[in-house]
Amino acid sequence: MSKDIYVTHPHLPPLEEFQGLLSKIWESGHLTNSGPYHQELEQALCDYLKVPYISLFNNGTIALVTALRALGIKGEVITTPFSFVATSHAILWTECTPVFVDVDAESLNLDPAQIRSAITKDTAAILPVHCYGHPADVDAIDAIGAKHDIPVIYDAAHAFGVECHCGSVLTHGDLSVLSFHATKVFNTFEGGAVVCKTPEMKRYVDQLKNFGHEGETVVIETGINGKMSEINAAMGLIQLNHIDGAIAQRAEIDRQYRERLADLPGIHCVKDSGQMRANYAYFPIRVGPDFPISRDALYTYMKERGVHPRRYFYPLIPEFPMYSALPTADRTLLPNAARAADEILCLPIYPGLDDASLSRIIALLHDAAASGA
């Protein structure tokens, strides 16, 4: 009987490579608090991602909360309704108010025109997402932020290693935030990072993630414990040795999907945003009205046959109870995001997804179309 195929599978390096670093951690007894592997990984990531400063975190959500806190954001934050709920949860955790605006119909990233229309005297920040690792319109969004003197924080959880027309997409905005969760292109089991532009901001973010400590006896801020452990940092160092090969495998799967689904009526592969370097974090398709069955029916059809795609992102964030009463949560104000939430299905993509499994996934899509399920 065929094994179930899930939308993703954690990429893990050879165990013996990790065990070597674990032995050194055991010998040193240095488990956390900016140990040698933590410091080494920060520098290695700066070099690989071509960014000036990085502060490592225990996860991406705490990193995002800390980024908002580091910029002193208080008030309304313009953000996307089409993302994983952690994006807007971070806004609530900092006692700010999400303001949802619609996404572009093609890229599914925040529409700059909608951002401009939503700015008021209470707007404190703009929080876009590079959805599926496809860069948002960084030039337009950064220009809006600069014109109105509003900070821009990019949720770059999907965008590890992505480069746009001017280099790393992570250099845009005031801060960018990464996730190194197990399901991401680059993982440290759990982890995250804040990308900073100046040594002063890097130092402040480091203080905030360490309870607000400045030295042994001085506390300057109401900080939090967001530190990454040495074990997670060691995993990151090993992962970096294999990341290019992992992305290359993802790229080949992406290519085969696009080629082998091109003639399937009603299935539309989401295009990238013209990035110079992609990471192929997700493979989203849109199940259009010309497909014989609905997106949800196709989702069920595949799951019943052992293939588990995901409806990233469904429901829309504004439809969850902690957001639904907000004035900007009205689905009719967000037509592009609402349509995407009803049509998108992310297919399995990860290093190690073999040809037989890929063929099985593609065959299921063709079978569903032929049978009308």
Side-chain angles (χ1 to χ4, degrees):
M1 187 174 179
S2 299
K3 290 183 177 180
D4 282 11
I5 303 170
Y6 293 91
V7 70
T8 190
H9 186 277
H11 178 247
L12 295 171
L15 182 58
E16 59 271 18
E17 294 184 23
F18 186 49
Q19 287 173 326
L21 297 192
L22 281 181
S23 296
K24 293 180 180 179
I25 292 173
W26 253 247
E27 291 170 9
S28 71
H30 200 149
L31 303 183
T32 187
N33 287 356
S34 192
Y37 288 144
H38 180 284
Q39 295 178 47
E40 187 178 345
L41 180 59
E42 284 193 339
Q43 186 56 56
L45 286 171
C46 284
D47 295 341
Y48 182 84
L49 298 171
K50 303 172 187 174
V51 297
Y53 302 97
I54 276 182
S55 179
L56 293 175
F57 275 77
N58 52 2
N59 63 66
T61 302
I62 295 298
L64 191 53
V65 167
T66 305
L68 287 159
R69 181 64 180 262
L71 294 177
I73 306 303
K74 293 293 180 186
E76 295 182 348
V77 179
I78 297 172
T79 193
T80 176
F82 191 71
S83 179
F84 184 60
V85 73
T87 301
S88 51
H89 276 3
I91 296 171
L92 289 188
W93 269 89
T94 51
E95 299 183 339
C96 294
T97 302
V99 173
F100 298 109
V101 301
D102 206 10
V103 298
D104 177 80
E106 295 295 324
S107 73
L108 304 181
N109 286 315
L110 274 184
D111 181 346
Q114 297 292 323
I115 295 173
R116 291 187 195 97
S117 298
I119 290 174
T120 71
K121 63 180 177 58
D122 296 318
T123 304
I126 304 168
L127 179 52
V129 175
H130 300 301
C131 190
Y132 305 131
H134 302 165
D137 189 344
V138 289
D139 288 342
I141 294 172
D142 287 357
I144 294 169
K147 178 180 178 180
H148 296 276
D149 195 24
I150 298 169
V152 178
I153 303 170
Y154 285 99
D155 181 339
H158 304 171
F160 183 91
V162 172
E163 296 183 5
C164 58
H165 59 286
C166 58
S168 173
V169 74
L170 303 174
T171 60
H172 286 272
D174 294 85
L175 297 170
S176 284
V177 179
L178 289 161
S179 170
F180 303 149
H181 183 263
T183 59
K184 296 298 188 288
V185 170
F186 173 86
N187 83 77
T188 58
F189 302 137
E190 280 273 13
V194 175
V195 178
C196 308
K197 290 186 171 180
T198 67
E200 292 79 14
M201 180 57 74
K202 150 78 169 160
R203 182 169 178 267
Y204 185 45
V205 169
D206 283 348
Q207 290 170 334
L208 285 174
K209 76 176 181 187
N210 188 30
F211 305 101
H213 274 292
E214 184 178 64
E216 185 176 345
T217 60
V218 177
V219 177
I220 63 163
E221 267 281 8
T222 309
I224 198 167
N225 184 4
K227 301 186 298 294
M228 177 182 281
S229 79
E230 281 291 272
I231 291 174
N232 297 93
M235 171 56 73
L237 286 169
I238 299 298
Q239 293 281 37
L240 267 184
N241 295 333
H242 301 275
I243 189 63
D244 288 339
I247 292 175
Q249 290 182 58
R250 288 175 173 274
E252 175 58 19
I253 295 166
D254 181 284
R255 185 193 68 79
Q256 290 208 41
Y257 272 138
R258 293 184 188 278
E259 181 179 293
R260 298 166 69 180
L261 295 175
D263 62 348
L264 188 56
I267 297 297
H268 311 281
C269 301
V270 174
K271 298 177 182 178
D272 64 30
S273 298
Q275 56 261 43
M276 304 303 293
R277 185 187 186 223
N279 67 6
Y280 310 98
Y282 299 83
F283 194 83
I285 60 171
R286 299 189 80 138
V287 183
D290 44 343
F291 195 71
I293 59 175
S294 70
R295 187 278 309 274
D296 287 351
L298 178 59
Y299 168 78
T300 301
Y301 178 87
M302 296 181 76
K303 283 175 67 71
E304 288 174 345
R305 288 155 181 80
V307 174
H308 302 265
R310 290 291 296 271
R311 294 170 291 184
Y312 289 140
F313 299 97
Y314 171 84
L316 287 178
I317 292 174
E319 295 178 311
F320 292 113
M322 63 286 300
Y323 302 103
S324 59
L326 291 171
T328 58
D330 184 348
R331 211 173 195 264
T332 63
L333 301 175
L334 311 165
N336 293 333
R339 183 181 173 195
D342 291 342
E343 291 184 353
I344 290 283
L345 199 62
C346 284
L347 302 181
I349 184 169
Y350 52 86
L353 183 67
D354 58 32
D355 290 341
S357 296
L358 186 59
S359 294
R360 181 178 155 200
I361 296 163
I362 293 167
L364 268 184
L365 291 164
H366 282 274
D367 291 346
S371 68

